[in-house]
Amino acid sequence: RAIAGEPDEAGRYSVETVYESVKLEGDVDPMVRDALWRVLRPLEGTKLTFVADSRGFVTDTNASDLPDQILELLGGATGVRRMVESLSQPLPEEAVGPGARWRTEQTISMPNAPVLKNSVVYELVHREGDTIEVMITGEQTGTEQKFDSGVPGAETTLKQARGTIRGESLMRLDRLLPIRAVNTGFTRLTFEITENGRTQTMKQTVSVRFEVEHLDEGGAQPVEPGNAG
């Protein structure tokens, strides 16, 4: 549950997110499921606060209330901020109408992982009153680079990374966060790992899905996220 407070003098909004419940769904090996549950269960009841401007861009996060194991899983404070940024739906500065398209660029840098870049295009496909529908398409890429994978004595090189980003968002112009949004990402990565003079190639596929749904309960502060004309 996320509640936005009053804006400060710079027009930025503090948003407090409370994790009211945590669930694991899908068919997972029981041992893996138990391990994940031990990590995720302490998340219930904790808070994450972030600051966003009137266009929906995240400018700051406060994850001090999150359990240590969650912070470690997400890659520390930087990882938490990247996660929140990936859920934001930024609007352009200028007023726009149906058919308008705008692009955002994002660099993703997390511990023990290569640096990746997201290039995302948003298209306003429909407007009805203060409600707009936005389609999201993009790509995730990574150039050849060496990075610290956290494996002692191993030298790891990202050889290639390429993926797709797809999504759709239903937004109201008096709300900072989307009413409903679904974002999916699918990326293939190729690594070379050199250890004790031997080099092996490893391929990895990462699939991510984020869903956001607004619960219209009392106490939420409506905020103006940007422009759509």
Side-chain angles (χ1 to χ4, degrees):
R1 179 179 181 183
I3 300 177
E6 294 288 345
D8 62 15
E9 294 180 354
R12 296 170 302 192
Y13 297 84
S14 177
V15 182
E16 182 182 87
T17 302
V18 180
Y19 293 89
E20 296 180 338
S21 65
V22 178
K23 297 180 181 178
L24 287 177
E25 299 179 351
D27 296 328
V28 182
D29 181 276
M31 292 183 63
V32 175
R33 186 181 186 87
D34 289 345
L36 286 174
W37 185 242
R38 285 195 299 271
V39 172
L40 295 176
R41 188 173 184 177
L43 192 59
E44 287 191 354
T46 60
K47 294 184 295 184
L48 168 65
T49 303
F50 64 90
V51 177
D53 64 18
S54 60
R55 292 176 56 205
F57 283 99
V58 176
T59 60
D60 192 20
T61 57
N62 182 352
S64 60
D65 192 49
L66 293 182
D68 291 341
Q69 58 265 50
I70 297 295
L71 279 174
E72 184 177 352
L73 179 68
L74 296 175
T78 300
V80 171
R81 176 166 179 168
R82 297 304 185 195
M83 179 190 70
V84 175
E85 287 177 344
S86 70
L87 295 175
S88 65
Q89 309 289 323
L91 290 173
E93 293 185 25
E94 69 279 5
V96 296
R101 292 160 61 94
W102 60 97
R103 180 188 300 271
T104 63
E105 306 285 342
Q106 179 187 28
T107 299
I108 301 174
S109 178
M110 298 179 65
N112 305 129
V115 176
L116 302 177
K117 291 187 177 182
N118 286 353
S119 178
V120 182
V121 174
Y122 299 86
E123 180 179 1
L124 199 165
V125 295
H126 181 71
R127 174 179 178 179
E128 185 172 343
D130 286 337
T131 302
I132 62 174
E133 183 180 351
V134 177
M135 299 298 293
I136 303 163
T137 58
E139 63 176 5
Q140 184 174 83
T141 58
T143 58
E144 184 169 332
Q145 59 188 277
K146 296 183 185 299
F147 67 97
D148 180 9
S149 62
V151 179
E155 181 180 88
T156 307
T157 303
L158 174 70
K159 301 299 291 185
Q160 185 181 48
R162 184 166 295 276
T164 58
I165 300 169
R166 297 290 184 271
E168 57 184 21
S169 179
L170 188 66
M171 306 173 66
R172 260 178 47 189
L173 299 182
D174 63 347
R175 298 285 183 183
L176 182 65
L177 300 175
I179 302 172
R180 184 174 63 254
V182 178
N183 289 349
T184 60
F186 184 85
T187 301
R188 290 188 174 92
L189 306 100
T190 302
F191 303 99
E192 277 189 357
I193 302 176
T194 302
E195 187 175 11
N196 297 326
R198 299 179 60 183
T199 299
Q200 60 178 340
T201 299
M202 182 181 74
K203 295 185 178 182
Q204 183 180 34
T205 299
V206 178
S207 179
V208 179
R209 178 182 175 91
F210 288 114
E211 295 188 32
V212 176
E213 185 173 1
H214 173 71
L215 301 178
D216 195 7
E217 299 178 352
Q221 171 69 37
V223 293
E224 177 66 35
N227 297 309

